[in-house]
Amino acid sequence: GSSTLCRSRADCAHGRCGVIISNATPMSLIALFVTLHLLPNPSSLYQDQSRTGTEHPQSLELLQQNLKLGRTITQGSLQQQNIGKTLTDAALTTVFIVRHGDKMSAYPGYDDARFGNNPELTPCGRRQAQMVADLLIQKAGNISAVISSPYMRTLQTALPLASATGHFIRVEQVLSEDRQRNGPYQPRNSHPTSAGAEDWVLIDKAWDRTYSSPPIPTPEGDEEYWDRIETGPAIMKNHVKRNASQGGALVFFSHSDPSFSLAYGLCSALFNNSQESFVRDFISGGGGLEVTGIIKILLNADNECVKIDVPDNQVSHKSQCGGLTVPHMVRYSVNPGYYWRPEPGVSVADARDEDFD
């Protein structure tokens, strides 16, 4: 029959809506009763409507389906669990992992004595940072946190997004560049470029001083990197939990190798926990990660990865500048342990003498 559905128990209680069912079967009535009572607080499903301007079509669709398919309610508690899982999984959290923009050290004439292993962005990289901020806002709509590696190039890349959204930059050490074999990076340069000095004034104001993370041990070789990066997914999930009440996407600004490592750590189950599959299907198959490349990941309510998109490198292409900070990918055959600790029985010594991609 036809029905006019209440959106909350309060609406029903105050007579603001009604339910009219013609030719109803006993099972459809049971379906309606159970569905309404399975929604813990139906009004809360619409409480953000004024903010987003949208409703929750999944919840309405679920309600309508259960009215039509009253027979499925006969499965009792099992069906209730499935409904709860459907409602829970509808609330996915978006995580973006973003590589920094075009960097100075990729070009001839880089002053290593002045900048060391912590180069600034080039003018091209600063333009890419603004472009990727605009793209992330377009992709996500609502962004709840901006988290960055402590390196100057990632902080500069994160700055336009932090400025546009009004968020502080949460500095997270686990996102740092990998394998600093000669010791720690130079955290802040005493002789920056004029553009770097201007950016630092804004970075300093945007630095989230309510959050701190311990420094990573250096020098860092393979073993130290594997130890460090294995803690990354849990740390990233803690950031997700920290922002759970705010909703919106979280954006992590990192470097090429850690970006892929963290993506694998979060989503390895989608690749049957096989690094070889991940490198072949995601890294090589996706064309690598260019400067300001974006990896989009969806986590369910249990912070389990349910989807990962191949890198979006459109900013690098559209910026039409730079070009010497190359797309990054390393074949599994070159180094089976490049992104994650090698799988049992596989040694880094098994790598063949091939060029890096």
Side-chain angles (χ1 to χ4, degrees):
S2 62
S3 61
T4 303
L5 298 176
C6 297
R7 289 185 176 178
S8 71
R9 293 191 183 107
D11 287 343
C12 291
H14 291 88
R16 290 193 287 267
C17 63
V19 178
I20 305 171
I21 301 178
S22 60
N23 301 322
T25 65
M27 290 311 304
S28 66
L29 291 173
I30 294 173
L32 172 63
F33 176 82
V34 172
T35 302
L36 289 174
H37 284 76
L38 281 174
L39 298 177
N41 184 357
S43 61
S44 67
L45 294 173
Y46 297 88
Q47 64 186 3
D48 63 345
Q49 184 176 352
S50 61
R51 184 182 76 246
T52 64
T54 59
E55 295 182 348
H56 291 255
Q58 299 96 335
S59 302
L60 283 175
E61 181 181 355
L62 176 66
L63 193 60
Q64 292 164 350
Q65 287 177 351
N66 283 335
L67 283 170
K68 293 177 182 178
L69 304 175
R71 56 186 174 80
T72 62
I73 301 297
T74 58
Q75 297 177 26
S77 59
L78 177 61
Q79 180 64 18
Q80 292 184 30
Q81 291 173 11
N82 289 338
I83 291 173
K85 187 175 188 298
T86 301
L87 292 172
T88 299
D89 285 351
L92 299 175
T93 298
T94 301
V95 167
F96 294 106
I97 304 175
V98 184
R99 186 186 179 189
H100 58 77
D102 191 57
K103 62 181 181 178
M104 293 169 50
S105 59
Y107 295 84
Y110 174 69
D111 191 345
D112 187 72
R114 178 180 177 185
F115 297 103
N117 58 359
N118 194 10
E120 298 176 10
L121 295 181
T122 63
C124 172
R126 295 176 82 231
R127 181 149 65 93
Q128 291 168 339
Q130 183 61 61
M131 292 175 67
V132 81
D134 295 340
L135 179 59
L136 287 164
I137 292 171
Q138 177 185 333
K139 282 176 171 285
N142 179 28
I143 290 173
S144 66
V146 178
I147 303 123
S148 175
S149 145
Y151 282 67
M152 185 63 177
R153 56 190 178 275
T154 48
L155 292 168
Q156 285 180 293
T157 309
L159 181 59
L161 182 64
S163 299
T165 59
H167 290 305
F168 287 102
I169 300 175
R170 203 179 296 166
V171 179
E172 179 55 69
Q173 302 286 337
V174 79
L175 303 175
S176 297
E177 181 64 286
D178 66 309
R179 299 174 175 90
Q180 297 300 301
R181 301 181 189 276
N182 296 323
Y185 70 105
Q186 182 173 298
R188 182 179 176 187
N189 199 308
S190 298
H191 304 286
T193 64
S194 57
E198 291 174 5
D199 283 348
W200 184 262
V201 171
L202 300 176
I203 291 168
D204 184 62
K205 292 179 179 178
W207 195 291
D208 186 350
R209 287 169 169 78
T210 70
Y211 180 82
S212 65
S213 60
I216 63 173
T218 56
E220 184 181 73
D222 285 341
E223 287 288 344
E224 292 80 11
Y225 177 66
W226 297 330
D227 288 343
R228 185 247 294 191
I229 210 65
E230 284 174 353
T231 69
I235 291 172
M236 294 176 73
K237 290 177 181 180
N238 284 337
H239 284 284
V240 172
K241 293 175 183 177
R242 181 185 176 109
N243 284 74
S245 63
Q246 301 179 34
L250 291 85
V251 185
F252 295 84
F253 290 88
S254 188
H255 308 258
S256 55
D257 297 344
S259 293
F260 279 140
S261 296
L262 294 166
Y264 177 75
L266 286 171
C267 300
S268 59
L270 299 185
F271 301 90
N272 296 317
N273 297 311
S274 167
Q275 292 181 61
E276 186 171 10
S277 296
F278 173 76
V279 174
R280 181 189 65 241
D281 300 335
F282 182 77
I283 297 181
S284 298
L289 189 65
E290 300 189 28
V291 289
T292 54
I294 300 170
I295 300 172
K296 180 182 178 182
I297 293 171
L298 295 182
L299 304 178
N300 64 16
D302 296 321
N303 279 337
E304 298 168 334
C305 176
V306 295
K307 184 181 180 183
I308 182 169
D309 292 346
V310 295
D312 181 346
N313 293 314
Q314 63 174 291
V315 168
S316 176
H317 300 160
K318 291 180 178 179
S319 65
Q320 297 183 337
C321 62
L324 291 186
T325 306
V326 298
H328 173 81
M329 55 179 169
V330 175
R331 290 190 297 272
Y332 184 79
S333 59
V334 172
N335 189 339
Y338 197 78
Y339 298 109
W340 202 259
R341 191 183 302 276
E343 295 161 356
V346 177
S347 170
V348 175
D350 293 337
R352 297 196 296 271
D353 184 17
E354 299 181 19
D355 293 331
F356 285 82
D357 286 321

